[in-house]
Amino acid sequence: MHHLKVVNDTIWATGTDVEGYSHREVNVRNAMFILTVIMPLVAATIAFFGVPHWYKRSSLFSFHKIVALWFFSVGFVGVALFYLPGQAPRILFIWAILHGQIEVVLNMLLLGFNGYQALAATWTFGLVQYGLTLSVEYPLTVFTVAAIVGGANDLLIFEALLYGKQYGLAAGALCHIIGAVIVFVGIGVNIGVVPWNVITFLSLWGHIFFMLRYILTAPTLIKDPRSEHDELEHEDPPNNPLHNVTFTPALIGAFVAFGLVNSTLTTLLIAWVLPRD
């Protein structure tokens, strides 16, 4: 059984390195850099300003603004992956943890917690994860912890949305999970520039499409009772798309356990089975 290749405190993907890329592979990689950075940033802008009263203080802890931050962090992870081809030093995991902190806030919102509780949760998450990443000696351990926790975090978003019957949003969350898995696969094994970028593009495109579809269509037109002419006005969408769904502690625990088991199995597969010398 093989495991991730570690050289000088950095994980290196097995397979063809950057110097061995063909002209086509270099061009595909450069083109995808534009897409994986520009697409999330444009999507973040649309998500942030895409509701009628985006400027209200009451929308600060809201789905559309957290999703905007989520897209923003996806873009910056894309930058890190481009400038660190085939390698995963600790700084890459720091970026991943920052991305994960935003997902923690999103999970807290979806599960019905308030902004203060979300802040406490993401602060604790960051304290533990940053501390481990900077202090643990072996990069393989850093990778394992980051992949397991990150995977469980992503799965919790998907599970909550699916349970709340927000199937479109759940599809977007599933696309993000596929993208996250392919990122971790790429850290361990170079599966080919074109296949990796095609999967990344499709997963990112689906993630953005389904999230923005909800954000842009959630506001509904209603009759204004103050108007004699029955004019229509925009109604603010709910800050939480699952505001009518109740999550018991037992249910949340089951979701977390399911996510941890599945992300652990996936991580072990990526770290110990897929890599080849």
Side-chain angles (χ1 to χ4, degrees):
M1 182 177 288
H2 301 259
H3 59 79
L4 294 174
K5 177 183 176 183
V6 179
V7 179
N8 296 329
D9 198 51
T10 298
I11 297 173
W12 292 83
T14 59
T16 305
D17 57 20
V18 178
E19 287 73 17
Y21 288 169
S22 66
H23 292 298
R24 181 200 176 199
E25 289 174 324
V26 171
N27 285 331
V28 168
R29 187 171 177 273
N30 291 341
M32 270 302 296
F33 170 70
I34 301 298
L35 291 175
T36 53
V37 174
I38 298 301
M39 275 202 310
L41 295 184
V42 171
T45 302
I46 295 173
F48 191 91
F49 297 106
V51 298
H53 302 118
W54 57 267
Y55 49 84
K56 286 185 176 180
R57 188 176 184 275
S58 59
S59 71
L60 183 62
F61 183 57
S62 62
F63 182 76
H64 73 98
K65 286 190 176 178
I66 298 172
V67 167
L69 289 175
W70 198 16
F71 287 152
F72 193 76
S73 68
V74 167
F76 274 88
V77 170
V79 172
L81 290 171
F82 181 83
Y83 285 104
L84 296 169
Q87 57 183 298
R90 293 178 191 258
I91 190 172
L92 182 61
F93 295 107
I94 294 296
W95 276 115
I97 295 168
L98 178 61
H99 174 74
Q101 284 187 278
I102 297 171
E103 293 178 331
V104 168
V105 175
L106 180 56
N107 271 318
M108 295 294 284
L109 170 74
L110 295 175
L111 296 175
F113 295 93
N114 61 42
Y116 295 107
Q117 291 169 318
L119 181 62
T122 195
W123 182 87
T124 304
F125 177 90
L127 178 67
V128 174
Q129 287 282 84
Y130 290 131
L132 288 173
T133 301
L134 296 174
S135 62
V136 170
E137 181 178 359
Y138 301 106
L140 184 57
T141 304
V142 174
F143 173 91
T144 302
V145 173
I148 290 175
V149 175
N153 215 2
D154 287 334
L155 275 168
L156 185 55
I157 297 172
F158 171 71
E159 291 166 331
L161 292 170
L162 189 63
Y163 179 81
K165 298 181 180 179
Q166 288 286 356
Y167 300 120
L169 291 175
L174 181 60
C175 288
H176 180 67
I177 291 172
I178 294 171
V181 170
I182 200 64
V183 165
F184 278 100
V185 168
I187 290 175
V189 184
N190 184 350
I191 63 173
V193 173
V194 175
W196 189 90
N197 280 284
V198 167
I199 297 172
T200 299
F201 169 74
L202 292 176
S203 62
L204 180 59
W205 194 267
H207 179 208
I208 290 174
F209 169 77
F210 287 110
M211 293 293 161
L212 287 186
R213 177 178 175 270
Y214 171 83
I215 290 171
L216 296 178
T217 59
T220 56
L221 289 172
I222 60 173
K223 290 187 176 182
D224 184 358
R226 297 165 299 178
S227 174
E228 297 179 358
H229 304 289
D230 290 333
E231 295 178 356
L232 298 179
E233 66 172 12
H234 279 285
E235 180 186 42
D236 284 331
N239 284 344
N240 178 6
L242 304 182
H243 65 286
N244 289 326
V245 182
T246 300
F247 294 93
T248 64
L251 181 61
I252 295 174
F255 283 167
V256 172
F258 179 83
L260 287 172
V261 169
N262 281 275
S263 62
T264 298
L265 294 175
T266 303
T267 299
L268 293 177
L269 176 66
I270 295 172
W272 294 94
V273 178
L274 293 182
R276 290 291 183 267
D277 296 331

